[in-house]
Amino acid sequence: MPRLLFEKTGPAVFISHLDLMRVFQRAFRRAGMLIRHSQGFSPRAIVSIALPLSVGTESICELLDFELSAGVNVPLSEIPEWLNRTMPAGIRVTDIWENGRKLRELTHLDAELILEYDAGIPEGAVEAISAFFHRDEPIAVPKKTKSGMTDLDIAPMILDLRLSPISDRELRLTCRVCAQNPSLNPALLATALELHLKPFAPDFCRVKRLEILDSKGQPFR
């Protein structure tokens, strides 16, 4: 099954996962390429995104699998250009493959959080935040599950974390976290600061996925 690599940035971050699926289905249709549908009483378009992205989060490493209807003969290499002609601002297909790896081999993701402080970065923030995330203690944050709210210990799911100032009001936090079984939304790192390290909690946080990886740390495609 063919696989696309695409970006979701800028104004497109406010498009929900379900609406994003519709965007792609319409883009294929407008480009004259019909997506194959499942059989049965309620046909479903055969198109899926590897890791649904939270509203408000940017990404330059999203994957979408799809299957075209029989009789659609379009060179694989031309599909990104055709789709990009119809895409809304902020969504751009950057690459394509004939067959992608099995999704169970996707294990980690790299992300960037920009922590913004309206009154300037608090003194000692880099050292305090780094020490907080590297300590050998649980870091509990609330997470919504199918059975309700529960406390999630995110500490074991953080494989690497680094901090650096990029201005007098912004810190860049880069991290590598678990992507599946279990999975960690990088935005929960900012939530952890709000709950457990309030003097250094940011006034606003921007989150961006940078890369998705296999267990060996290689880009997953």
Side-chain angles (χ1 to χ4, degrees), residues 2-62:
R3 174 170 290 168
L4 297 174
L5 177 69
F6 71 94
E7 300 177 351
K8 186 186 179 191
T9 61
V13 301
F14 300 109
I15 299 175
S16 70
H17 175 67
L18 291 178
D19 284 339
L20 182 62
M21 299 289 283
R22 297 186 185 102
V23 165
F24 269 98
Q25 291 177 48
R26 293 186 187 120
F28 274 102
R29 188 163 58 248
R30 288 170 180 164
M33 298 178 286
L34 296 181
I35 294 290
R36 191 170 79 84
H37 284 64
S38 60
Q39 303 297 312
F41 181 76
S42 181
R44 180 183 61 84
I46 300 179
V47 56
S48 63
I49 293 176
L51 295 176
L53 195 64
S54 300
V55 173
T57 299
E58 284 194 315
S59 178
I60 57 173
C61 58
E62 296 302 287

Short mmCIF file of all heavy atoms in Angstrom, two decimals, residues 2-62:
data_model
loop_
_atom_site.label_atom_id
_atom_site.label_comp_id
_atom_site.label_asym_id
_atom_site.label_seq_id
_atom_site.Cartn_x
_atom_site.Cartn_y
_atom_site.Cartn_z
N PRO A 2 0.64 2.20 -0.89
CA PRO A 2 1.46 3.42 -0.94
C PRO A 2 1.36 4.22 0.35
O PRO A 2 0.35 4.18 1.05
CB PRO A 2 0.86 4.19 -2.12
CG PRO A 2 0.16 3.17 -2.95
CD PRO A 2 -0.35 2.15 -1.98
N ARG A 3 2.43 4.96 0.65
CA ARG A 3 2.48 5.77 1.87
C ARG A 3 3.02 7.16 1.54
O ARG A 3 4.04 7.30 0.86
CB ARG A 3 3.37 5.08 2.90
CG ARG A 3 3.63 5.90 4.16
CD ARG A 3 4.32 5.04 5.22
NE ARG A 3 3.38 4.05 5.75
CZ ARG A 3 3.74 3.01 6.51
NH1 ARG A 3 5.01 2.83 6.80
NH2 ARG A 3 2.83 2.16 6.96
N LEU A 4 2.33 8.18 2.07
CA LEU A 4 2.73 9.57 1.90
C LEU A 4 3.40 10.09 3.17
O LEU A 4 3.02 9.72 4.29
CB LEU A 4 1.51 10.47 1.63
CG LEU A 4 0.70 10.25 0.37
CD1 LEU A 4 -0.53 11.16 0.40
CD2 LEU A 4 1.53 10.53 -0.87
N LEU A 5 4.37 10.97 3.01
CA LEU A 5 4.92 11.76 4.10
C LEU A 5 4.42 13.18 3.89
O LEU A 5 4.53 13.73 2.79
CB LEU A 5 6.45 11.74 4.06
CG LEU A 5 7.18 12.59 5.10
CD1 LEU A 5 7.00 12.01 6.50
CD2 LEU A 5 8.67 12.70 4.76
N PHE A 6 3.84 13.78 4.94
CA PHE A 6 3.30 15.13 4.78
C PHE A 6 3.53 15.98 6.01
O PHE A 6 3.80 15.47 7.11
CB PHE A 6 1.81 15.09 4.40
CG PHE A 6 0.88 14.65 5.51
CD1 PHE A 6 0.24 15.58 6.33
CD2 PHE A 6 0.61 13.30 5.72
CE1 PHE A 6 -0.62 15.19 7.32
CE2 PHE A 6 -0.26 12.90 6.72
CZ PHE A 6 -0.88 13.85 7.53
N GLU A 7 3.42 17.29 5.82
CA GLU A 7 3.55 18.27 6.89
C GLU A 7 2.19 18.86 7.23
O GLU A 7 1.34 19.02 6.36
CB GLU A 7 4.49 19.40 6.46
CG GLU A 7 5.89 18.97 6.11
CD GLU A 7 6.75 20.12 5.62
OE1 GLU A 7 6.19 21.23 5.40
OE2 GLU A 7 7.96 19.93 5.46
N LYS A 8 2.02 19.20 8.49
CA LYS A 8 0.83 19.92 8.96
C LYS A 8 1.33 21.05 9.84
O LYS A 8 1.70 20.84 10.99
CB LYS A 8 -0.10 18.98 9.74
CG LYS A 8 -1.43 19.61 10.14
CD LYS A 8 -2.22 18.67 11.02
CE LYS A 8 -3.54 19.31 11.43
NZ LYS A 8 -4.21 18.54 12.51
N THR A 9 1.36 22.26 9.29
CA THR A 9 1.95 23.39 9.98
C THR A 9 1.06 24.63 9.83
O THR A 9 0.06 24.61 9.11
CB THR A 9 3.35 23.70 9.42
OG1 THR A 9 3.22 24.03 8.02
CG2 THR A 9 4.28 22.50 9.56
N GLY A 10 1.47 25.71 10.49
CA GLY A 10 0.77 26.98 10.35
C GLY A 10 -0.70 26.87 10.69
O GLY A 10 -1.09 26.24 11.67
N PRO A 11 -1.58 27.48 9.87
CA PRO A 11 -3.02 27.48 10.16
C PRO A 11 -3.64 26.09 10.16
O PRO A 11 -4.70 25.87 10.75
CB PRO A 11 -3.62 28.35 9.05
CG PRO A 11 -2.61 28.30 7.93
CD PRO A 11 -1.28 28.22 8.61
N ALA A 12 -2.98 25.12 9.52
CA ALA A 12 -3.54 23.77 9.43
C ALA A 12 -3.52 23.04 10.77
O ALA A 12 -4.18 22.00 10.91
CB ALA A 12 -2.78 22.95 8.39
N VAL A 13 -2.78 23.54 11.77
CA VAL A 13 -2.71 22.83 13.05
C VAL A 13 -4.08 22.77 13.74
O VAL A 13 -4.29 21.94 14.63
CB VAL A 13 -1.68 23.47 14.01
CG1 VAL A 13 -0.30 23.46 13.39
CG2 VAL A 13 -2.10 24.87 14.42
N PHE A 14 -5.00 23.63 13.34
CA PHE A 14 -6.32 23.66 13.97
C PHE A 14 -7.33 22.75 13.26
O PHE A 14 -8.51 22.74 13.62
CB PHE A 14 -6.83 25.10 14.04
CG PHE A 14 -5.92 25.99 14.84
CD1 PHE A 14 -5.15 26.95 14.20
CD2 PHE A 14 -5.80 25.85 16.20
CE1 PHE A 14 -4.29 27.77 14.92
CE2 PHE A 14 -4.94 26.65 16.95
CZ PHE A 14 -4.19 27.62 16.30
N ILE A 15 -6.88 22.01 12.26
CA ILE A 15 -7.73 21.03 11.59
C ILE A 15 -7.71 19.74 12.41
O ILE A 15 -6.64 19.21 12.72
CB ILE A 15 -7.24 20.75 10.16
CG1 ILE A 15 -7.29 22.03 9.32
CG2 ILE A 15 -8.09 19.66 9.50
CD1 ILE A 15 -6.71 21.85 7.92
N SER A 16 -8.88 19.24 12.79
CA SER A 16 -8.95 18.02 13.60
C SER A 16 -8.55 16.81 12.77
O SER A 16 -8.45 16.86 11.54
CB SER A 16 -10.37 17.83 14.13
OG SER A 16 -11.25 17.48 13.07
N HIS A 17 -8.33 15.68 13.46
CA HIS A 17 -7.93 14.45 12.77
C HIS A 17 -8.98 14.01 11.75
O HIS A 17 -8.64 13.69 10.60
CB HIS A 17 -7.68 13.34 13.79
CG HIS A 17 -7.39 12.01 13.17
ND1 HIS A 17 -6.24 11.76 12.45
CD2 HIS A 17 -8.11 10.85 13.14
CE1 HIS A 17 -6.25 10.51 12.01
NE2 HIS A 17 -7.37 9.94 12.42
N LEU A 18 -10.25 14.00 12.15
CA LEU A 18 -11.30 13.56 11.23
C LEU A 18 -11.41 14.49 10.04
O LEU A 18 -11.60 14.05 8.89
CB LEU A 18 -12.63 13.45 11.96
CG LEU A 18 -12.74 12.32 12.99
CD1 LEU A 18 -14.11 12.35 13.67
CD2 LEU A 18 -12.52 10.96 12.32
N ASP A 19 -11.31 15.79 10.28
CA ASP A 19 -11.37 16.75 9.17
C ASP A 19 -10.15 16.60 8.26
O ASP A 19 -10.25 16.80 7.05
CB ASP A 19 -11.45 18.17 9.70
CG ASP A 19 -12.83 18.51 10.24
OD1 ASP A 19 -13.80 17.82 9.85
OD2 ASP A 19 -12.95 19.44 11.05
N LEU A 20 -8.99 16.26 8.84
CA LEU A 20 -7.80 16.05 8.04
C LEU A 20 -7.98 14.86 7.09
O LEU A 20 -7.56 14.91 5.93
CB LEU A 20 -6.59 15.81 8.94
CG LEU A 20 -5.24 15.62 8.25
CD1 LEU A 20 -4.85 16.85 7.46
CD2 LEU A 20 -4.17 15.28 9.29
N MET A 21 -8.63 13.81 7.58
CA MET A 21 -8.92 12.67 6.72
C MET A 21 -9.81 13.10 5.55
O MET A 21 -9.60 12.68 4.40
CB MET A 21 -9.61 11.57 7.53
CG MET A 21 -8.77 11.02 8.67
SD MET A 21 -7.39 10.02 8.09
CE MET A 21 -8.24 8.51 7.67
N ARG A 22 -10.78 13.95 5.84
CA ARG A 22 -11.66 14.45 4.78
C ARG A 22 -10.90 15.34 3.79
O ARG A 22 -11.16 15.30 2.59
CB ARG A 22 -12.84 15.21 5.39
CG ARG A 22 -13.74 14.36 6.28
CD ARG A 22 -14.95 15.14 6.75
NE ARG A 22 -15.74 14.36 7.69
CZ ARG A 22 -15.72 14.54 9.02
NH1 ARG A 22 -14.95 15.49 9.54
NH2 ARG A 22 -16.46 13.78 9.81
N VAL A 23 -9.97 16.12 4.31
CA VAL A 23 -9.16 16.97 3.44
C VAL A 23 -8.42 16.13 2.41
O VAL A 23 -8.40 16.45 1.21
CB VAL A 23 -8.15 17.80 4.28
CG1 VAL A 23 -7.06 18.39 3.38
CG2 VAL A 23 -8.86 18.92 5.01
N PHE A 24 -7.82 15.03 2.86
CA PHE A 24 -7.08 14.18 1.94
C PHE A 24 -8.01 13.48 0.95
O PHE A 24 -7.69 13.37 -0.24
CB PHE A 24 -6.24 13.16 2.72
CG PHE A 24 -4.86 13.65 3.03
CD1 PHE A 24 -4.57 14.18 4.28
CD2 PHE A 24 -3.85 13.61 2.08
CE1 PHE A 24 -3.30 14.65 4.58
CE2 PHE A 24 -2.58 14.07 2.36
CZ PHE A 24 -2.30 14.60 3.61
N GLN A 25 -9.15 13.01 1.42
CA GLN A 25 -10.07 12.35 0.50
C GLN A 25 -10.53 13.31 -0.58
O GLN A 25 -10.62 12.94 -1.76
CB GLN A 25 -11.26 11.80 1.29
CG GLN A 25 -10.88 10.63 2.20
CD GLN A 25 -12.05 10.14 3.03
OE1 GLN A 25 -13.14 9.93 2.53
NE2 GLN A 25 -11.82 9.97 4.34
N ARG A 26 -10.82 14.56 -0.20
CA ARG A 26 -11.24 15.55 -1.20
C ARG A 26 -10.08 15.90 -2.14
O ARG A 26 -10.28 16.11 -3.33
CB ARG A 26 -11.74 16.82 -0.49
CG ARG A 26 -13.02 16.62 0.29
CD ARG A 26 -13.51 17.95 0.83
NE ARG A 26 -14.66 17.76 1.71
CZ ARG A 26 -14.70 18.09 2.98
NH1 ARG A 26 -13.63 18.63 3.55
NH2 ARG A 26 -15.79 17.90 3.70
N ALA A 27 -8.86 15.97 -1.59
CA ALA A 27 -7.69 16.30 -2.40
C ALA A 27 -7.47 15.24 -3.48
O ALA A 27 -7.19 15.56 -4.64
CB ALA A 27 -6.45 16.44 -1.52
N PHE A 28 -7.59 13.97 -3.11
CA PHE A 28 -7.46 12.90 -4.10
C PHE A 28 -8.53 13.03 -5.17
O PHE A 28 -8.26 12.90 -6.37
CB PHE A 28 -7.56 11.53 -3.42
CG PHE A 28 -6.26 11.02 -2.87
CD1 PHE A 28 -5.99 11.08 -1.50
CD2 PHE A 28 -5.30 10.46 -3.71
CE1 PHE A 28 -4.80 10.61 -0.98
CE2 PHE A 28 -4.10 9.97 -3.20
CZ PHE A 28 -3.84 10.06 -1.83
N ARG A 29 -9.75 13.30 -4.73
CA ARG A 29 -10.86 13.41 -5.69
C ARG A 29 -10.65 14.59 -6.64
O ARG A 29 -10.86 14.48 -7.84
CB ARG A 29 -12.18 13.54 -4.92
CG ARG A 29 -13.42 13.47 -5.81
CD ARG A 29 -14.68 13.20 -5.02
NE ARG A 29 -14.93 14.21 -4.00
CZ ARG A 29 -14.86 14.00 -2.70
NH1 ARG A 29 -14.52 12.80 -2.23
NH2 ARG A 29 -15.11 14.97 -1.84
N ARG A 30 -10.26 15.73 -6.10
CA ARG A 30 -10.04 16.92 -6.94
C ARG A 30 -8.88 16.73 -7.91
O ARG A 30 -8.85 17.32 -8.98
CB ARG A 30 -9.76 18.13 -6.04
CG ARG A 30 -10.99 18.63 -5.30
CD ARG A 30 -10.62 19.66 -4.26
NE ARG A 30 -11.79 20.14 -3.54
CZ ARG A 30 -11.76 20.79 -2.40
NH1 ARG A 30 -10.58 21.05 -1.83
NH2 ARG A 30 -12.86 21.20 -1.82
N ALA A 31 -7.92 15.89 -7.51
CA ALA A 31 -6.78 15.61 -8.38
C ALA A 31 -7.09 14.53 -9.40
O ALA A 31 -6.22 14.16 -10.20
CB ALA A 31 -5.58 15.19 -7.53
N GLY A 32 -8.34 14.02 -9.39
CA GLY A 32 -8.76 13.01 -10.36
C GLY A 32 -8.32 11.62 -10.01
O GLY A 32 -8.27 10.74 -10.88
N MET A 33 -8.02 11.38 -8.72
CA MET A 33 -7.59 10.05 -8.27
C MET A 33 -8.58 9.56 -7.22
O MET A 33 -8.66 10.12 -6.12
CB MET A 33 -6.18 10.11 -7.67
CG MET A 33 -5.12 10.56 -8.65
SD MET A 33 -3.47 10.68 -7.88
CE MET A 33 -3.66 12.18 -6.92
N LEU A 34 -9.34 8.53 -7.54
CA LEU A 34 -10.34 8.03 -6.62
C LEU A 34 -9.73 7.02 -5.64
O LEU A 34 -8.98 6.13 -6.04
CB LEU A 34 -11.49 7.37 -7.39
CG LEU A 34 -12.30 8.30 -8.31
CD1 LEU A 34 -13.40 7.50 -9.00
CD2 LEU A 34 -12.89 9.46 -7.52
N ILE A 35 -10.06 7.19 -4.36
CA ILE A 35 -9.62 6.27 -3.32
C ILE A 35 -10.52 5.04 -3.32
O ILE A 35 -11.74 5.15 -3.45
CB ILE A 35 -9.67 6.95 -1.94
CG1 ILE A 35 -8.65 8.09 -1.86
CG2 ILE A 35 -9.44 5.95 -0.82
CD1 ILE A 35 -7.22 7.63 -1.84
N ARG A 36 -9.92 3.86 -3.19
CA ARG A 36 -10.72 2.64 -3.10
C ARG A 36 -11.48 2.61 -1.79
O ARG A 36 -10.98 3.06 -0.76
CB ARG A 36 -9.82 1.41 -3.21
CG ARG A 36 -10.60 0.11 -3.41
CD ARG A 36 -9.68 -1.05 -3.75
NE ARG A 36 -9.02 -1.59 -2.59
CZ ARG A 36 -9.56 -2.50 -1.77
NH1 ARG A 36 -10.79 -2.93 -1.99
NH2 ARG A 36 -8.89 -2.95 -0.73
N HIS A 37 -12.70 2.09 -1.82
CA HIS A 37 -13.54 1.98 -0.63
C HIS A 37 -13.77 0.51 -0.28
O HIS A 37 -13.73 -0.37 -1.15
CB HIS A 37 -14.89 2.66 -0.85
CG HIS A 37 -14.82 4.16 -0.77
ND1 HIS A 37 -14.10 4.92 -1.67
CD2 HIS A 37 -15.38 5.03 0.13
CE1 HIS A 37 -14.22 6.21 -1.35
NE2 HIS A 37 -14.98 6.29 -0.27
N SER A 38 -13.99 0.27 0.99
CA SER A 38 -14.30 -1.08 1.44
C SER A 38 -15.67 -1.49 0.94
O SER A 38 -16.48 -0.65 0.52
CB SER A 38 -14.26 -1.15 2.97
OG SER A 38 -15.22 -0.25 3.53
N GLN A 39 -15.97 -2.79 0.99
CA GLN A 39 -17.26 -3.30 0.56
C GLN A 39 -18.23 -3.34 1.73
O GLN A 39 -17.84 -3.15 2.88
CB GLN A 39 -17.09 -4.72 -0.03
CG GLN A 39 -16.09 -4.79 -1.18
CD GLN A 39 -16.53 -3.97 -2.37
OE1 GLN A 39 -17.68 -4.05 -2.80
NE2 GLN A 39 -15.63 -3.16 -2.90
N GLY A 40 -19.50 -3.56 1.45
CA GLY A 40 -20.47 -3.71 2.52
C GLY A 40 -21.49 -2.59 2.56
O GLY A 40 -21.56 -1.73 1.68
N PHE A 41 -22.30 -2.60 3.63
CA PHE A 41 -23.42 -1.67 3.77
C PHE A 41 -22.93 -0.22 3.93
O PHE A 41 -23.58 0.71 3.47
CB PHE A 41 -24.28 -2.06 4.97
CG PHE A 41 -25.47 -1.18 5.19
CD1 PHE A 41 -26.59 -1.30 4.37
CD2 PHE A 41 -25.47 -0.22 6.18
CE1 PHE A 41 -27.70 -0.49 4.56
CE2 PHE A 41 -26.56 0.60 6.38
CZ PHE A 41 -27.68 0.46 5.56
N SER A 42 -21.81 -0.05 4.61
CA SER A 42 -21.29 1.30 4.86
C SER A 42 -19.84 1.37 4.37
O SER A 42 -18.90 1.22 5.16
CB SER A 42 -21.37 1.63 6.35
OG SER A 42 -20.89 2.93 6.61
N PRO A 43 -19.63 1.61 3.07
CA PRO A 43 -18.28 1.64 2.52
C PRO A 43 -17.41 2.71 3.19
O PRO A 43 -17.88 3.80 3.51
CB PRO A 43 -18.51 1.98 1.04
CG PRO A 43 -19.92 1.57 0.77
CD PRO A 43 -20.66 1.84 2.04
N ARG A 44 -16.14 2.38 3.40
CA ARG A 44 -15.20 3.30 4.05
C ARG A 44 -13.99 3.47 3.15
O ARG A 44 -13.47 2.53 2.59
CB ARG A 44 -14.77 2.72 5.40
CG ARG A 44 -13.80 3.59 6.17
CD ARG A 44 -13.38 2.88 7.46
NE ARG A 44 -12.70 1.62 7.18
CZ ARG A 44 -11.41 1.51 6.90
NH1 ARG A 44 -10.65 2.59 6.83
NH2 ARG A 44 -10.87 0.31 6.68
N ALA A 45 -13.56 4.73 3.01
CA ALA A 45 -12.38 5.02 2.19
C ALA A 45 -11.15 4.36 2.81
O ALA A 45 -10.94 4.43 4.02
CB ALA A 45 -12.18 6.52 2.09
N ILE A 46 -10.34 3.71 1.99
CA ILE A 46 -9.14 3.04 2.48
C ILE A 46 -8.01 4.06 2.51
O ILE A 46 -7.23 4.22 1.57
CB ILE A 46 -8.80 1.82 1.61
CG1 ILE A 46 -9.98 0.83 1.64
CG2 ILE A 46 -7.51 1.14 2.09
CD1 ILE A 46 -9.78 -0.40 0.81
N VAL A 47 -7.96 4.78 3.61
CA VAL A 47 -6.95 5.80 3.86
C VAL A 47 -6.80 5.91 5.37
O VAL A 47 -7.78 5.90 6.11
CB VAL A 47 -7.35 7.15 3.22
CG1 VAL A 47 -8.69 7.61 3.71
CG2 VAL A 47 -6.30 8.20 3.46
N SER A 48 -5.57 5.97 5.86
CA SER A 48 -5.34 6.02 7.30
C SER A 48 -4.06 6.79 7.61
O SER A 48 -3.12 6.80 6.81
CB SER A 48 -5.28 4.62 7.91
OG SER A 48 -4.17 3.91 7.38
N ILE A 49 -4.04 7.44 8.78
CA ILE A 49 -2.88 8.18 9.24
C ILE A 49 -2.26 7.42 10.41
O ILE A 49 -2.96 6.96 11.31
CB ILE A 49 -3.28 9.61 9.65
CG1 ILE A 49 -3.72 10.39 8.40
CG2 ILE A 49 -2.13 10.33 10.36
CD1 ILE A 49 -4.24 11.79 8.69
N ALA A 50 -0.94 7.31 10.41
CA ALA A 50 -0.24 6.44 11.37
C ALA A 50 -0.51 6.83 12.81
O ALA A 50 -0.95 6.01 13.62
CB ALA A 50 1.25 6.45 11.08
N LEU A 51 -0.23 8.06 13.18
CA LEU A 51 -0.39 8.53 14.56
C LEU A 51 -1.23 9.80 14.55
O LEU A 51 -0.72 10.87 14.21
CB LEU A 51 0.98 8.83 15.21
CG LEU A 51 1.93 7.66 15.41
CD1 LEU A 51 3.26 8.18 15.97
CD2 LEU A 51 1.34 6.62 16.35
N PRO A 52 -2.51 9.72 14.90
CA PRO A 52 -3.35 10.92 14.91
C PRO A 52 -2.70 12.05 15.71
O PRO A 52 -2.14 11.84 16.79
CB PRO A 52 -4.64 10.44 15.58
CG PRO A 52 -4.69 8.97 15.26
CD PRO A 52 -3.26 8.52 15.30
N LEU A 53 -2.75 13.25 15.15
CA LEU A 53 -2.09 14.41 15.72
C LEU A 53 -3.08 15.26 16.49
O LEU A 53 -4.19 15.53 16.02
CB LEU A 53 -1.47 15.23 14.59
CG LEU A 53 -0.44 16.30 14.93
CD1 LEU A 53 0.82 15.67 15.54
CD2 LEU A 53 -0.07 17.07 13.66
N SER A 54 -2.70 15.70 17.69
CA SER A 54 -3.57 16.55 18.49
C SER A 54 -3.77 17.90 17.82
O SER A 54 -2.87 18.43 17.16
CB SER A 54 -2.97 16.78 19.88
OG SER A 54 -2.81 15.56 20.57
N VAL A 55 -4.97 18.46 17.97
CA VAL A 55 -5.25 19.79 17.43
C VAL A 55 -4.29 20.79 18.09
O VAL A 55 -4.08 20.77 19.30
CB VAL A 55 -6.71 20.19 17.70
CG1 VAL A 55 -6.95 21.65 17.30
CG2 VAL A 55 -7.66 19.29 16.94
N GLY A 56 -3.70 21.65 17.28
CA GLY A 56 -2.77 22.65 17.78
C GLY A 56 -1.32 22.25 17.69
O GLY A 56 -0.43 23.08 17.91
N THR A 57 -1.04 20.98 17.36
CA THR A 57 0.33 20.49 17.26
C THR A 57 0.79 20.50 15.81
O THR A 57 0.09 20.02 14.93
CB THR A 57 0.45 19.06 17.82
OG1 THR A 57 0.09 19.07 19.20
CG2 THR A 57 1.86 18.53 17.67
N GLU A 58 1.98 21.03 15.57
CA GLU A 58 2.57 21.01 14.23
C GLU A 58 3.32 19.69 14.03
O GLU A 58 3.70 19.03 14.98
CB GLU A 58 3.55 22.16 14.05
CG GLU A 58 2.91 23.51 13.84
CD GLU A 58 3.91 24.54 13.34
OE1 GLU A 58 5.02 24.60 13.89
OE2 GLU A 58 3.57 25.27 12.41
N SER A 59 3.56 19.36 12.76
CA SER A 59 4.36 18.17 12.46
C SER A 59 4.94 18.28 11.06
O SER A 59 4.30 18.80 10.15
CB SER A 59 3.51 16.90 12.56
OG SER A 59 4.30 15.75 12.23
N ILE A 60 6.16 17.76 10.91
CA ILE A 60 6.77 17.67 9.59
C ILE A 60 7.05 16.21 9.23
O ILE A 60 7.82 15.92 8.32
CB ILE A 60 8.07 18.49 9.52
CG1 ILE A 60 9.07 18.04 10.58
CG2 ILE A 60 7.78 19.97 9.64
CD1 ILE A 60 10.45 18.71 10.46
N CYS A 61 6.39 15.28 9.94
CA CYS A 61 6.71 13.85 9.73
C CYS A 61 5.46 12.96 9.82
O CYS A 61 5.53 11.86 10.36
CB CYS A 61 7.74 13.40 10.76
SG CYS A 61 7.22 13.63 12.48
N GLU A 62 4.34 13.42 9.28
CA GLU A 62 3.12 12.62 9.33
C GLU A 62 3.07 11.63 8.17
O GLU A 62 3.52 11.93 7.06
CB GLU A 62 1.89 13.53 9.29
CG GLU A 62 1.77 14.44 10.49
CD GLU A 62 1.72 13.66 11.79
OE1 GLU A 62 0.68 13.04 12.06
OE2 GLU A 62 2.74 13.67 12.51
#
